[in-house]
Amino acid sequence: MKKLQFGMVGGGNGAFIGNVHRRGATEDNMARLVAGCFTRNMDKNLVTAEAWDVDDLSRVYGNYKEMAEKESQREDCIDFVTIVTPTDSHYKIAKCFLEHGINVVCDKPISMTLEEGEELKKIVDEKKLEFGVTYTYASYAAIRQAREMIDHGEIGEIINIIAEYPQDWVIVSTVAENSDQAMWRLDPKRAGKTACCSDIGTHLEALISKMTGKKLERVLARFTHYKGSPLDHDIQILLDYEGGIPGMMWASQLASGSDCGVKIRIYGDKGSIEWRHTSPMELIYSPLNQPPRIITANRAYNYKACTELCRLPAGHPEGFYEAFGNIYKSYCSHLLAKYNGEKPVTLRHPTIEDGLAGMRFVDACVKSNEQGNIWIDV
């Protein structure tokens, strides 16, 4: 099988998420890292390249524009680029590579504004390129199992959706004054119009979408600003999905004692499904008027859509890195199918459409909060 070549912009200087992307992209031996502009400091750039086994150091570039230009001229041009930089640079970097005919995988949010996101989609459509977005929590094997169960009617008609994502890193970092990440995420010029809503609220929006397949129609949002911050760090949102399905979302970066407490509960008229990030391989399935059951992702009784995302035998937990691997496994499989003139595989990954859905969600929430917490169509 052909192994894809990819490059990365950002992710150097010891950044946590850069190595997560690298591991995810190479998890299933479908791609190898051959180029990059990992940081603007060339000495550190080369150190990162050597640490990550980039063989040809002439493919380590001083800036993303040079990288896009020179890679696009090579016969062995990279098949895609991964963008792992602060939010304010996503649009311009993605646009540059797309205009040079290079496929993209980008951290969310894909841009600072909805208009920028729509422009990226226009280029993707015109050039027939692949654009992946790394919504991690929506990409666990257990979430695919939940989606199949919902699609097969195992909890009946959905009647309520509850999702939450409490963290405490902003309040901890600002008190400790020791986080560069906290500093740029607190700056509207770099983070955009929102902090919590864009950063982790969009994760919940994507998680609900992938788990249920339901379309969000309108929101009513309330933002809390910590100590006069210009950006939000706690959000409470009422959700209204197609068919009149109600939902609630709470996300916070001020929840002391919470690390990464993603939890989602889908209630139907025949039962419910619950998933917690702290137990990512498990679903709690509660058929109506029956004892709750624990469903483990990598067991043979699951749907194939779930088990094809598992890499270890039953009883061995898989987690965050594997979820990133699932995104890249699907992305690379679709790209290889396109190269071979074949139909795309059944694997799914978040695309530019999901990225735009996240931008529309954020825009609607901002408007709702600014206009006195009223319902706004998405």
Side-chain angles (χ1 to χ4, degrees):
M1 181 178 72
K2 170 184 168 62
K3 187 174 286 192
L4 299 171
Q5 297 190 113
F6 78 102
M8 186 182 294
V9 177
N13 287 338
F16 158 71
I17 204 65
N19 197 42
V20 172
H21 276 271
R22 182 186 70 88
R23 288 182 58 164
T26 59
E27 178 91 30
D28 296 290
N29 293 317
M30 300 176 74
R32 65 189 186 96
L33 181 64
V34 299
C37 172
F38 308 108
T39 173
R40 286 170 289 188
N41 181 310
M42 199 58 186
D43 290 336
K44 293 181 178 179
N45 205 0
L46 290 168
V47 169
T48 300
E50 291 177 344
W52 287 351
D53 298 324
V54 175
D55 297 328
D56 183 354
L57 296 184
S58 71
R59 298 179 79 171
V60 182
Y61 303 95
N63 60 72
Y64 73 88
K65 293 181 180 178
E66 176 192 14
M67 180 176 167
E69 181 68 29
K70 290 187 175 179
E71 282 296 320
S72 66
Q73 295 173 359
R74 296 177 64 104
E75 287 188 10
D76 60 346
C77 171
I78 53 174
D79 295 290
F80 66 92
V81 65
T82 292
I83 301 171
V84 197
T85 58
T87 300
D88 61 323
S89 61
H90 289 177
Y91 162 74
K92 60 184 180 182
I93 298 173
K95 181 181 179 182
C96 180
F97 279 91
L98 291 172
E99 288 179 337
H100 281 84
I102 297 173
N103 300 290
V104 168
V105 174
C106 186
D107 262 344
K108 57 85 211 141
I110 57 174
S111 59
M112 293 279 277
T113 68
L114 177 59
E115 292 73 22
E116 290 176 346
E118 288 173 339
E119 185 178 352
L120 293 178
K121 183 179 184 304
K122 183 179 179 182
I123 301 171
V124 168
D125 291 342
E126 288 175 349
K127 292 184 173 289
K128 295 181 172 55
L129 296 169
E130 293 289 323
F131 194 114
V133 183
T134 49
Y135 283 119
T136 322
Y137 309 105
S139 303
Y140 280 90
I143 300 303
R144 280 305 307 274
Q145 172 65 17
R147 174 64 180 273
E148 293 296 312
M149 292 174 67
I150 291 170
D151 286 351
H152 284 80
E154 296 186 40
I155 64 168
E157 295 294 323
I158 296 175
I159 56 177
N160 207 351
I161 298 168
I162 310 293
E164 64 181 60
Y165 191 165
Q167 298 177 332
D168 66 359
W169 74 266
V170 166
I171 196 167
V172 170
S173 297
T174 51
V175 169
E177 298 182 347
N178 65 353
S179 173
D180 292 336
Q181 178 184 205
M183 294 309 102
W184 79 256
R185 291 183 186 276
L186 296 172
D187 182 355
K189 293 180 180 178
R190 305 201 69 191
K193 293 180 289 186
T194 77
C196 184
C197 190
S198 291
D199 191 24
I200 58 178
T202 53
H203 269 305
L204 291 180
E205 183 277 327
L207 175 57
I208 295 171
S209 173
K210 292 300 182 186
M211 189 163 170
T212 68
K214 299 300 182 182
K215 181 181 178 182
L216 180 61
E217 293 188 336
R218 59 182 189 147
V219 299
L220 189 158
R222 181 188 181 200
F223 292 176
T224 297
H225 297 254
Y226 177 59
K227 290 188 175 180
S229 168
L231 299 178
D232 55 295
H233 296 294
D234 187 287
I235 62 172
Q236 300 168 16
I237 303 172
L238 294 179
L239 309 164
D240 195 7
Y241 285 85
E242 60 182 322
I245 300 170
M248 289 190 292
M249 175 191 299
W250 170 55
S252 179
Q253 297 164 327
L254 308 174
S256 297
S258 296
D259 295 323
C260 190
V262 181
K263 182 164 70 173
I264 181 170
R265 288 164 284 176
I266 311 297
Y267 295 97
D269 59 9
K270 294 182 180 178
S272 67
I273 295 177
E274 178 177 326
W275 179 79
R276 304 178 184 185
H277 186 241
T278 51
S279 302
M281 293 294 288
E282 295 179 352
L283 294 173
I284 302 174
Y285 171 46
S286 301
L288 188 63
N289 203 32
Q290 296 183 37
R293 306 169 186 176
I294 302 297
I295 294 177
T296 306
N298 53 2
R299 296 296 297 270
Y301 54 65
N302 290 306
Y303 290 97
K304 181 183 177 182
C306 169
T307 57
E308 67 183 355
L309 295 177
C310 297
R311 298 170 180 82
L312 299 175
H316 297 77
E318 300 182 35
F320 191 76
Y321 287 114
E322 287 81 7
F324 261 83
N326 290 340
I327 295 171
Y328 279 99
K329 180 178 182 179
S330 173
Y331 182 86
C332 291
S333 295
H334 279 252
L335 201 53
L336 287 167
K338 177 182 286 188
Y339 287 168
N340 295 329
E342 301 169 353
K343 291 183 179 180
V345 293
T346 57
L347 295 166
R348 302 174 187 169
H349 61 274
T351 67
I352 187 74
E353 294 285 0
D354 299 293
L356 277 176
M359 299 303 298
R360 295 188 185 103
F361 164 76
V362 170
D363 259 25
C365 289
V366 169
K367 290 176 183 176
S368 174
N369 182 68
E370 290 177 344
Q371 296 177 32
N373 319 116
I374 63 172
W375 285 104
I376 295 291
D377 291 340
V378 176

